[in-house]
Amino acid sequence: MLKTTLFGITRGCWLLSAVALLAAVELSGQSVSTPVSPAIQANSNRAPAGGLEKGVLTLHLELRQGDWYPEADTGPSMKVYAFCEEGKALQVPAPLIRVPEGTEIHVTLHNLLRVTAILHGLHQHPGDAKAVVEVPPQETRELRFAAGAAGTYQYYASAGGELGDTGRPIREDSQLAGAFVIDPPGKVASDRIFVLGIWRSGSDLAAVRGQAPLPHMIPVINGKSWPYTERLTYTAGEPVRWRWINASDGGHPMHMHGSYFRVDSAGDSETDHSFTAEQQRTAATNRLLTNGTMTMYWTPPPGHWLFHCHFVPHMSPEMTVANALADKFIMQHTHDHMAGMVLGITVTGNRPPLASHGRTRKIRLWVRERPAAHGLPAGFSYQLEENHNLFPKDLTVPGPTLVLERGRPVEITVVNQLHESTTVHWHSVEVESYYDGVAGWGASGNKVTPEIQPGHSFRVRFNPPRAGTFMYHTHLHDEEQLSGGLYGPLIVVELGTKFDSSHEPIAVLSRAGPSPTEGPLLLNGSTNPPTLHWRIGDRYRLRLISIAAFDGGSFSLLGADGPLQWRAIAKDGCDLPPAQAVMQEARQLALAGEVYDFEYRPTAAGTLQLQVSIGILKMKVAQQIEVQ
Ligand SMILES: [Cu+2]
């Protein structure tokens, strides 16, 4: 009773929690590790921890158990281990270590858990991932080291909990991780730091392999899950710099709605690599594997945008604390469309008008239920209609290829024939946020993007400003709708040119569903795609689209002796600069939401293979290519 009352009062307030803790200790006469635990605060990574004086950072860190509130500060909580600075609130992510290059770091670690903690990353950078420090329960360790080279790094601890497939903790010790940033000398441009974390009830590799049900997950950005993640506001065109750190067990394809960003550095938390101007990448989706880091630069366009992980189980409304605690999935269709690793950004300003050419094309996009057929379980499908022609006649996976011209306005009426609501997202196309497919978030003036209810339609208008390879897909009830086949290629060609399917093969990598972790691997909706026929000396542009809901797949172009060489052309629909449009081994990893274009010119007769594979699942689909 006492505990409940105290918790009611003390949520989110460390000082009162400390009083509660002491009171409980006194009342019970037990040790400090009594089950009464303080509230953990979400750390927005704005204020560096410790005291910096005369080139020395002094930092006293403690490890304790606390109550974590990944959703509302007054919402459901779960007990996890966390770091705090001595005398301050526990934090997830852990206190930010941020110092200029040349700083000496003096840190003490006091372990108040009942288990030994193993600390990673608290050393000079670049560093060795194997260099760890053990701190037994109730003991303290003192470390002194030089910070090292400027970059984005992390530190984390494991403390006896279950480890995931990548070796990172997944449960009670999964949130023992924080950012470690070393700034270059001189004036530092303002930026924000985001740490990706996951609490998980089990192995998702086993789930992906079909050996276990999908675990419960709480995927978070800076300790919070959508819609409780921080809301950011910018003015259109202002320079935005973000540092991202993946402190979770698993990779994340991080996707920006409505525009591109530039990746200026990438690292693995021990070493960071700053790109030269020629090496900087432009992307709408950039993957961060476990321990991966990036710094990104973004010039935001006006609108309401999302930046999120494209793995469906990392952004699904089922991934809530209530579900994890209940150990079952409660569908909350009416509550919110997403949870997890989703950031909402509001950008003020006006969108400059685009030059448009020709009459507006009018197209209908039918969204339909699809019976089981051709070896695929029942699901959903798209059909296109233009000038009273319906295409394709059958219901297919993926949906039909939508070919648009750059600069030519289009009006697409999405007609929902499902028994549930849907929306359509035009993935990587620079559309207005109202038409971007995020119900309840996208907006134009006072109009907010609606869910398209069963039997209703929604008119989308845009003018594609860029020629390239894109896709369209559902952005609602993704667990079933995306896994069930609601995606299709979107090709934008230069005005007055035609899409030549015989020389521009599209390869869509997905799984058959009906859930994100079920079904065989598919290439263009098939486990046995038809043979392609190519001509010696012709130029082929391969348009590769990865949209498996929860997998990373690889595309390869193989000859008799293994991978051939192809030339990179574009990433996520954006043409590569000359320095990056180079010949390379014809093998490309692509997580959900990534799109790549490559060019290949066969020089001899023979048989080639375009292969898609998911390595960890030993799944493979090959398409034969006869060259004559
Ligand atoms: Cu993810």
Side-chain angles (χ1 to χ4, degrees):
M1 193 61 210
L2 172 71
K3 190 174 142 192
T4 315
T5 315
L6 285 169
F7 265 74
I9 298 165
T10 59
R11 263 174 199 150
C13 174
W14 161 249
L15 280 176
L16 283 174
S17 295
V19 173
L21 182 67
L22 289 173
V25 170
E26 251 180 76
L27 281 172
S28 64
Q30 284 167 9
S31 74
V32 187
S33 51
T34 179
V36 174
S37 49
I40 298 170
Q41 292 187 350
N43 176 8
S44 63
N45 281 314
R46 291 167 188 265
L52 184 61
E53 215 172 310
K54 293 181 182 147
V56 179
L57 176 80
T58 307
L59 176 62
H60 300 294
L61 292 176
E62 293 176 353
L63 291 89
R64 294 173 180 269
Q65 182 178 275
D67 289 307
W68 179 38
Y69 296 83
E71 293 161 9
D73 290 344
T74 52
S77 68
M78 64 198 317
K79 290 197 188 309
V80 298
Y81 302 155
F83 280 99
C84 66
E85 276 191 84
E86 192 182 67
K88 294 188 182 174
L90 287 168
Q91 289 187 318
V92 168
L96 166 65
I97 301 179
R98 182 163 201 170
V99 294
E101 228 175 34
T103 303
E104 189 188 312
I105 296 177
H106 177 199
V107 51
T108 61
L109 298 157
H110 187 191
N111 181 4
L112 291 159
L113 305 172
R114 292 164 187 260
V115 288
T116 297
I118 300 169
L119 281 118
H120 302 247
L122 280 177
H123 46 233
Q124 185 174 346
H125 286 88
D128 176 3
K130 291 191 200 77
V132 297
V133 178
E134 268 190 45
V135 191
Q138 306 304 322
E139 292 196 16
T140 303
R141 291 285 178 276
E142 233 179 292
L143 308 173
R144 276 174 196 275
F145 57 92
T152 306
Y153 311 102
Q154 67 176 299
Y155 67 102
Y156 75 96
S158 60
E162 191 181 333
L163 300 181
D165 308 311
T166 69
R168 299 262 327 204
I170 61 170
R171 271 213 279 272
E172 67 270 25
D173 46 353
S174 61
Q175 305 307 313
L176 283 169
F180 186 163
V181 171
I182 303 172
D183 286 310
K187 193 177 181 300
V188 175
S190 75
D191 62 10
R192 291 300 309 272
I193 301 165
F194 300 99
V195 176
L196 295 170
I198 286 189
W199 177 98
R200 225 176 34 213
S201 63
S203 158
D204 56 15
L205 188 53
V208 170
R209 281 179 173 148
Q211 296 159 345
L214 194 65
H216 295 277
M217 296 183 214
I218 305 172
V220 292
I221 296 174
N222 281 351
K224 287 283 186 185
S225 170
W226 176 269
Y228 305 97
T229 46
E230 186 181 341
R231 297 292 166 91
L232 300 160
T233 305
Y234 295 107
T235 306
E238 80 171 277
V240 175
R241 291 178 184 82
W242 289 346
R243 294 173 189 258
W244 286 84
I245 298 165
N246 183 359
S248 74
D249 173 58
H252 307 287
M254 299 303 296
H255 175 60
M256 177 68 80
H257 278 232
S259 62
Y260 294 85
F261 57 92
R262 195 179 76 199
V263 182
D264 286 355
S265 79
D268 62 5
S269 291
E270 290 292 352
T271 302
D272 198 7
H273 181 71
S274 244
F275 297 139
T276 62
E278 283 198 336
Q279 293 169 324
Q280 287 168 347
R281 307 176 202 150
T282 298
T285 307
N286 193 55
R287 59 174 178 264
L288 288 177
L289 301 180
T290 297
N291 302 323
T293 63
M294 70 165 164
T295 53
M296 56 179 270
Y297 177 86
W298 181 46
T299 313
H304 293 246
W305 307 111
L306 296 182
F307 186 63
H308 68 88
C309 174
H310 215 286
F311 278 151
V312 166
H314 294 172
M315 54 173 281
S316 289
E318 291 79 17
M319 299 306 171
T320 60
V321 180
N323 279 336
L325 293 176
D327 198 25
K328 64 181 176 194
F329 290 114
I330 309 155
M331 298 292 275
Q332 289 162 316
H333 278 241
T334 53
H335 175 59
D336 211 295
H337 310 313
M338 297 171 289
M341 287 177 182
V342 182
L343 208 55
I345 309 122
T346 298
V347 184
T348 56
N350 294 314
R351 224 180 154 80
L354 266 178
S356 65
H357 305 275
R359 280 224 318 268
T360 299
R361 261 177 81 188
K362 296 198 173 177
I363 298 172
R364 259 169 207 278
L365 182 70
W366 294 88
V367 192
R368 303 203 198 267
E369 278 163 13
R370 177 176 51 79
H374 312 296
L376 299 179
F380 311 94
S381 194
Y382 290 118
Q383 280 178 311
L384 288 170
E385 187 187 326
E386 189 172 13
N387 302 324
H388 306 292
N389 291 318
L390 195 63
F391 172 79
K393 298 287 181 232
D394 298 329
L395 297 174
T396 60
V397 174
T401 300
L402 172 59
V403 181
L404 302 176
E405 287 172 286
R406 183 167 80 88
R408 169 118 188 240
V410 64
E411 181 187 288
I412 302 171
T413 304
V414 180
V415 188
N416 182 9
Q417 301 282 84
L418 309 182
H419 288 96
E420 60 182 22
S421 49
T422 193
T423 60
V424 180
H425 171 57
W426 316 91
H427 187 100
S428 303
V429 183
E430 294 140 289
V431 304
E432 278 182 64
S433 77
Y434 179 61
Y435 298 119
D436 183 54
V438 185
W441 177 250
S444 166
N446 294 327
K447 292 185 300 181
V448 175
T449 309
E451 285 183 38
I452 312 170
Q453 300 293 340
H456 287 238
S457 62
F458 179 63
R459 214 164 277 168
V460 173
R461 292 188 185 89
F462 63 95
N463 177 353
R466 191 185 296 266
T469 307
F470 308 91
M471 65 177 126
Y472 61 99
H473 65 73
T474 177
H475 215 282
L476 205 60
H477 310 312
D478 291 334
E479 289 267 350
E480 44 187 340
Q481 291 189 7
L482 195 73
S483 308
L486 283 185
Y487 46 85
L490 195 172
I491 308 296
V492 182
V493 297
E494 291 294 345
L495 202 66
T497 67
K498 289 252 179 298
F499 169 62
D500 174 6
S501 61
S502 68
H503 285 79
E504 299 172 51
I506 296 169
V508 177
L509 184 161
S510 66
R511 282 181 75 182
S515 85
T517 56
E518 286 180 283
L521 174 64
L522 302 176
L523 171 53
N524 293 331
S526 172
T527 53
N528 185 22
T531 300
L532 298 175
H533 296 274
W534 287 6
R535 284 211 303 262
I536 298 167
D538 281 8
R539 224 181 267 277
Y540 294 87
R541 176 178 184 149
L542 295 97
R543 299 178 180 266
L544 312 177
I545 297 172
S546 178
I547 191 63
F550 197 27
D551 293 289
S554 283
F555 295 91
S556 319
L557 185 63
L558 306 170
D561 303 321
L564 300 164
Q565 295 272 314
W566 58 19
R567 183 187 302 281
I569 296 181
K571 160 84 167 112
D572 300 333
C574 179
D575 288 345
L576 296 172
Q580 292 173 30
V582 294
M583 294 298 287
Q584 52 197 266
E585 192 183 70
R587 194 185 281 282
Q588 180 63 57
L589 174 67
L591 304 194
E594 287 193 272
V595 174
Y596 290 88
D597 286 44
F598 290 98
E599 184 184 83
Y600 180 73
R601 203 171 186 173
T603 53
T607 304
L608 312 179
Q609 268 189 8
L610 175 61
Q611 190 186 83
V612 295
S613 61
I614 300 177
I616 50 168
L617 302 185
K618 298 190 171 65
M619 283 182 173
K620 209 183 270 183
V621 176
Q623 181 165 35
Q624 302 293 320
I625 304 166
E626 295 297 341
V627 182
Q628 284 179 330

